Amino acid sequence: MKDAKLKTVYVCSNCGETSPRWMGRCPSCGSWNTMNEDVVAEPARSSSARAVPRQEGSTRLTAHRLAEIRSTEEKSRIVTGISELDRVLGGGIVLGGVVLLSGEPGVGKSTMLLQLCGAISDQHTVLYITGEESERQVKLRANRLNLSQQNIYLAAENDVDEICGLIEKEKPELVVIDSIQTMRCADISSSSGTVSQVKESTARLLAVAKKQEVPMFIVGHVNKDGAIAGPKVMEHLVDTVLYFEGDRMLPYRILRAAKNRYGSTNELGMFDMTGRGLTEIANPSQMLLEGRPLGVSGNCVACTMEGTRPILSEIQALAAKTNFPSPRRTCSGYDYNRMNLLIAVLEKRAGFAFGSLDVYLNVIGGITLRDTSCDLAVCLSMVSSLLDRPVHDKLLAVGEVGLGGEIRSVPSLEQRLREAERIGFEQAVIPKHSLARLNPADYPGLRLIGAAYISDAISVLK
Ligand code: TYD
Ligand code: MG
């Protein structure tokens, strides 16, 4: 690369688009103020490429029959034993799979990965590359987390080529890179964290991971808007993208897959950050329903599916006389427009007048219900508050509400009912059509109430 010419370009930190001059707005993705200066080497013009015209029918390529390609799916996963993480990964870590773990600073990415190293280090050797903290800091954290430290190898390094060399030499069974924004390729002149560095570092690490069939976790920071700082192109390169989310106001952290080549992206893992690291929340329904006021109007329990997991959560509504010319409607944890739609259905189809009432709707625990099967519980909580008649404390309401006021069936009803029964619920209002295909003997603790219209469901209020 002696005679490689350096040139200055402007690279969009959101999508990776390049431009020879600075622009306020990226012409490709339209985001503002994301074009950052970067220095790249101009690629040497190769004379060999396509010098000779292609001859008809000549190629080096051969295609393989899909059925004959060797698959190592069964033995190619490492089960970490941290079941919330395994679930999100789709059943464990895939050999050669590269996972990007992103999240805001302080959410617990380094803690999570160090705990992961500890969890698998009994049977596997792990290489932890830290670009942010010193070896001593990582050691102190490992002590605090009370990890078995025998098979965890640590290196504080930023040079990607050195790291690749170390991986080839040591042949670890898992590699952690903390974080990609601190890594740099020595032959690229821009500073670490720039688009070209992040892109090239990821590509080189990925190549080693694939060649050595070693799974790799890469930490990536997110910027203010929640996007991964640096190019989106990093998300295209890796096999799995995990987002670790948390709010300082919430007691728990949520791990989600935004992309997964080896599993579903619906799954979600819940963790609690304690004084001794992250602990799994195996029973989120129990946690979300803890401390629930009993016998109070305006509350109803819904069940949402997060991937394959049913989670019960409490919906609270408050309908109060308005002091404004047009009533206020606020909503947290539920779609605002859907709430208005349900209010209109209740007015038109069941004759409840919300016209002069403010309505406040809140889902407890800071979770967001995106599932339409929560419609019925939302309607019940609003009507319960309007009439000031409480819903039975141990009642679950599941069903989608249509514009005609009819209650429609929902997927995974059996799992939702089983979860309610496990938590100790006694009654469930469900769509009437679904009642016919269920066997009530499967849920001995639950009284199943079928409702065809919203007015049938409202008759369960005390
Ligand atoms: P960290 O894993 O360093 O976050 P990240 O790598 O995502 O930036 O740590 C996150 C926070 O968690 C840190 O502010 C301190 C806190 N913490 C605990 O509460 N308990 C613990 O056992 C540990 C290790 C950290
Ligand atoms: Mg960290």
Side-chain angles (χ1 to χ4, degrees):
M1 288 279 241
K2 248 192 290 140
D3 47 0
K5 256 191 14 213
L6 295 182
K7 66 169 184 178
T8 301
V9 291
Y10 293 87
V11 187
C12 171
S13 61
N14 188 42
C15 69
E17 174 75 7
T18 56
S19 151
R21 59 202 163 79
W22 186 83
M23 276 184 267
R25 186 177 190 206
C26 169
S28 166
C29 68
S31 37
W32 290 92
N33 208 13
T34 51
M35 305 295 287
N36 298 316
E37 187 175 337
D38 205 340
V39 183
V40 294
E42 266 186 89
R45 283 216 184 78
S46 153
S47 54
S48 65
R50 281 269 166 264
V52 197
R54 186 181 69 85
Q55 279 187 356
E56 199 178 322
S58 80
T59 174
R60 286 176 289 109
L61 265 183
T62 43
H64 302 278
R65 206 183 289 261
L66 183 58
E68 285 161 11
I69 294 173
R70 192 174 54 95
S71 123
T72 47
E73 183 63 28
E74 296 78 36
K75 61 174 176 63
S76 62
R77 284 191 191 255
I78 301 176
V79 177
T80 65
I82 303 176
S83 57
E84 297 291 297
L85 179 62
D86 286 333
R87 189 211 318 272
V88 177
L89 289 171
I93 303 171
V94 177
L95 294 192
V98 176
V99 180
L100 171 66
L101 177 66
S102 66
E104 285 181 19
V107 72
K109 302 178 295 294
S110 307
T111 309
M112 156 91 84
L113 292 181
L114 198 58
Q115 277 183 271
L116 162 67
C117 295
I120 67 164
S121 69
D122 285 344
Q123 280 151 28
H124 304 274
T125 53
V126 183
L127 177 62
Y128 190 103
I129 309 288
T130 166
E132 297 189 345
E133 292 161 292
S134 68
E135 289 175 6
R136 232 176 67 83
Q137 280 172 306
V138 178
K139 168 78 182 171
L140 285 175
R141 176 175 308 180
N143 286 346
R144 180 130 70 96
L145 296 171
N146 212 356
L147 299 179
S148 77
Q149 303 175 3
Q150 217 31 263
N151 285 328
I152 305 179
Y153 292 82
L154 198 62
E157 180 58 59
N158 299 98
D159 189 314
V160 172
D161 293 322
E162 290 291 319
I163 294 168
C164 292
L166 187 65
I167 296 171
E168 282 159 356
K169 191 175 100 194
E170 298 285 340
K171 299 194 173 28
E173 288 161 273
L174 176 82
V175 177
V176 172
I177 308 286
D178 189 359
S179 65
I180 194 68
Q181 275 91 356
T182 56
M183 297 297 146
R184 66 189 311 269
C185 305
D187 51 344
I188 296 183
S189 44
S190 50
S191 57
S192 14
T194 56
V195 176
S196 45
Q197 282 289 3
V198 167
K199 209 157 117 181
E200 186 58 29
S201 305
T202 311
R204 290 189 193 177
L205 290 167
L206 199 92
V208 173
K210 297 291 169 200
K211 197 161 130 248
Q212 303 274 320
E213 284 220 326
V214 52
M216 187 179 278
F217 279 77
I218 301 179
V219 171
H221 294 296
V222 296
N223 56 21
K224 289 193 293 303
D225 314 326
I228 295 170
K232 266 278 187 227
V233 70
M234 194 175 164
E235 291 196 18
H236 300 306
L237 290 174
V238 299
D239 299 306
T240 304
V241 179
L242 302 182
Y243 281 103
F244 201 27
E245 300 165 355
D247 196 313
R248 279 179 223 296
M249 294 299 136
L250 293 183
Y252 51 80
R253 308 281 152 99
I254 292 177
L255 185 69
R256 276 179 205 285
K259 159 181 173 180
N260 195 351
R261 287 188 183 147
Y262 309 116
S264 141
T265 51
N266 293 325
E267 299 294 350
L268 158 157
M270 288 175 99
F271 296 88
D272 191 6
M273 180 61 95
T274 67
R276 312 197 70 203
L278 292 158
T279 53
E280 300 171 60
I281 301 176
N283 199 344
S285 302
Q286 190 100 55
M287 191 196 75
L288 289 169
L289 294 181
E290 242 165 41
R292 195 156 69 93
L294 302 177
V296 178
S297 67
N299 293 5
C300 187
V301 174
C303 183
T304 179
M305 294 297 293
E306 287 288 355
T308 53
R309 177 152 67 161
I311 297 180
L312 298 185
S313 57
E314 184 194 355
I315 296 173
Q316 294 193 324
L318 187 68
K321 204 174 150 295
T322 186
N323 290 318
F324 303 98
S326 59
R328 273 172 74 110
R329 304 275 147 91
T330 66
C331 180
S332 88
Y334 193 71
D335 182 43
Y336 178 74
N337 292 324
R338 188 133 193 114
M339 174 180 96
N340 283 320
L341 179 148
L342 294 175
I343 291 176
V345 171
L346 287 172
E347 292 208 339
K348 180 88 179 169
R349 308 288 175 191
F352 292 104
F354 283 92
S356 59
L357 299 174
D358 290 337
V359 181
Y360 304 94
L361 190 76
N362 181 32
V363 179
I364 296 293
I367 67 166
T368 302
L369 304 178
R370 292 186 187 86
D371 200 342
T372 49
S373 69
C374 302
D375 290 353
L376 185 58
V378 170
C379 286
L380 283 183
S381 63
M382 292 192 297
V383 173
S384 159
S385 177
L386 178 88
L387 302 175
D388 206 12
R389 276 161 52 189
V391 179
H392 192 288
D393 291 329
K394 300 224 160 128
L395 180 138
L396 170 75
V398 182
E400 178 175 343
V401 175
L403 290 183
E406 78 281 14
I407 302 187
R408 316 287 290 255
S409 41
V410 300
S412 322
L413 184 61
E414 290 84 351
Q415 277 156 281
R416 299 179 206 248
L417 293 177
R418 235 169 280 131
E419 174 75 357
E421 195 178 19
R422 189 177 71 80
I423 301 289
F425 275 59
E426 293 166 357
Q427 303 181 11
V429 187
I430 59 171
K432 194 155 189 183
H433 327 276
S434 311
L435 190 58
R437 32 175 198 88
L438 292 176
N439 179 9
D442 291 344
Y443 315 96
L446 271 185
R447 186 162 79 87
L448 301 179
I449 306 164
Y453 285 93
I454 188 79
S455 42
D456 307 339
I458 287 164
S459 63
V460 303
L461 297 179
K462 279 187 204 163

